[in-house]
Amino acid sequence: MSIVEEAVEVLRAGGLVGMPTETVYGLAGDACNDDAVRRIFAVKGRPAGHPLIVHLAGAEAITDWAASVPPAAQVLAAACWPGPLTVLVAAADRVSRLVTGGRDTVGLRVPAHPVALELLERFGGGVAAPSANRFGHVSPTTAQHVLADLGTDVDLVLDGGPCPVGVESTIVDCTTPVPQILRPGGIPNEHISALLGGDLHQARGPSRAPGMLASHYAPRATVILAESAGDAERLLVAHPGACLLDGTADLPAYAQRLYTMLRDADASGASTVIAVMPPPAGLGHAIRDRLTKAAAGRTC
Ligand code: TXA
Ligand code: MG
């Protein structure tokens, strides 16, 4: 039996699998098995009101999960899947409200990672998968990160190598009259906006997606944000021994290494990280978002 076939058996038995995706590793369980879904929440230490994204093998499965598929979701799915995009749509009645955190909407995504796609195709159903880290901690981008964070709480970890994108999917709420970006991610906001003919709003109101909490993705070290390399130099003088993060010359590489760099800073024992913010364009939106949340510190 191949390791992916073994992982399918684990999912069928209600177990949890560390699943590589192009963004970050997910903690995967059968989205139709309420016990598996409860275990995902328990292992992560995640509040029940924080919904899980359902991962699918292909866009054709969207109608199994959505009560209706608005035109914006159709356009985005056709253009971006498989890829780092999650669309929120009205949930079909059969979707467990444990998965949706009690809401009537569900987040759906088709990941672009060969191991994830093989797992999803062989499994055949929807797989609920949040990032495979404890709640509020830095997301995992290697199989080793998953094991370091979750240990034996996960039944099997599929090693698909380092995640190529490195930051989570862009979440677009397609249930509002004008679609909204709830979380900037691997697909730049400008690309989403262009696909929707500019018909797009930034999220409004308090915490439309619970992942928009001010503090999230936080290492142990204190993260101080610098708006330029010059700013960072001044901050380094004030904080001798601080660890410097600056990938602004190459944003895809900055995104890909971001969480590893935050984890490495913690492993080195650094008490302070000075991180240079990229301009708010392209992948810069997602990197700025994650660094801002890392700078808000750990709340758990
Ligand atoms: O790239 C990704 O999206 C990764 C990989 C594993 O696919 N997954 C991921 O899942 O980042 P998670 O659970 O760590 O973050 C998903 C975010 C959470 O903030 C959750 O609250 C929000 O999406 N979300 C999911 N379904 C939602 C819904 N129906 N309404 C509002 N927010 C939702
Ligand atoms: Mg997460």
Side-chain angles (χ1 to χ4, degrees):
M1 200 191 295
S2 75
I3 185 85
V4 176
E5 285 166 338
E6 256 180 68
V8 169
E9 295 299 306
V10 171
L11 291 178
R12 294 222 166 101
L16 304 185
V17 172
M19 173 177 76
T21 81
E22 78 281 32
T23 58
V24 301
Y25 275 69
L27 179 63
D30 180 355
C32 291
N33 179 332
D34 279 355
D35 288 335
V37 171
R38 278 195 198 93
R39 219 180 121 205
I40 292 176
F41 280 95
V43 166
K44 273 194 70 98
R46 176 167 170 145
H50 286 232
L52 306 179
I53 295 171
V54 177
H55 296 68
L56 308 171
E60 37 331 308
I62 193 169
T63 45
D64 294 344
W65 298 85
S68 60
V69 187
Q74 284 172 25
V75 168
L76 294 178
C80 303
W81 283 352
L85 166 80
T86 296
V87 292
L88 293 195
V89 294
D93 288 342
R94 64 180 278 272
V95 181
S96 165
R97 269 27 185 191
L98 289 178
V99 170
T100 70
R103 297 166 185 233
D104 289 329
T105 57
V106 64
L108 302 174
R109 118 169 176 87
V110 177
H113 191 291
V115 176
L117 285 175
E118 186 187 343
L119 179 70
L120 290 163
E121 272 158 22
R122 285 180 185 271
F123 178 64
V127 159
S131 51
N133 53 285
R134 307 269 184 213
F135 183 63
H137 290 195
V138 176
S139 302
T141 52
T142 67
Q144 291 71 32
H145 293 165
V146 179
L147 288 166
D149 220 21
L150 303 182
T152 52
D153 284 346
V154 52
D155 299 306
L156 177 74
V157 178
L158 291 173
D159 190 347
C163 302
V165 175
V167 290
E168 293 85 345
S169 59
T170 305
I171 303 180
V172 184
D173 186 348
C174 297
T175 66
T176 47
V178 177
Q180 301 186 356
I181 294 191
L182 298 193
R183 179 178 71 182
I187 299 203
N189 295 2
E190 296 86 344
H191 188 49
I192 304 275
S193 180
L195 287 168
L196 297 178
D199 214 8
L200 182 70
H201 285 161
Q202 290 304 307
R204 297 182 183 159
S207 190
R208 292 285 321 285
M212 292 167 70
L213 293 174
S215 160
H216 217 75
Y217 313 100
R220 269 194 308 277
T222 302
V223 177
I224 302 176
L225 304 177
E227 278 297 337
S228 66
D231 232 22
E233 266 171 42
R234 279 186 292 280
L235 286 164
L236 270 174
V237 173
H239 300 273
C243 178
L244 177 67
L245 256 63
D246 183 4
T248 50
D250 180 348
L251 293 193
Y254 201 5
Q256 203 258 325
R257 299 262 312 138
L258 185 63
Y259 293 140
T260 295
M261 290 190 289
L262 290 173
R263 282 168 182 267
D264 287 352
D266 273 351
S268 77
S271 60
T272 309
V273 170
I274 293 166
V276 185
M277 296 278 262
L283 277 174
H285 296 290
I287 298 169
R288 290 178 70 89
D289 173 76
R290 304 310 189 270
L291 284 176
T292 303
K293 285 169 179 160
R298 266 192 193 182
T299 50
C300 50

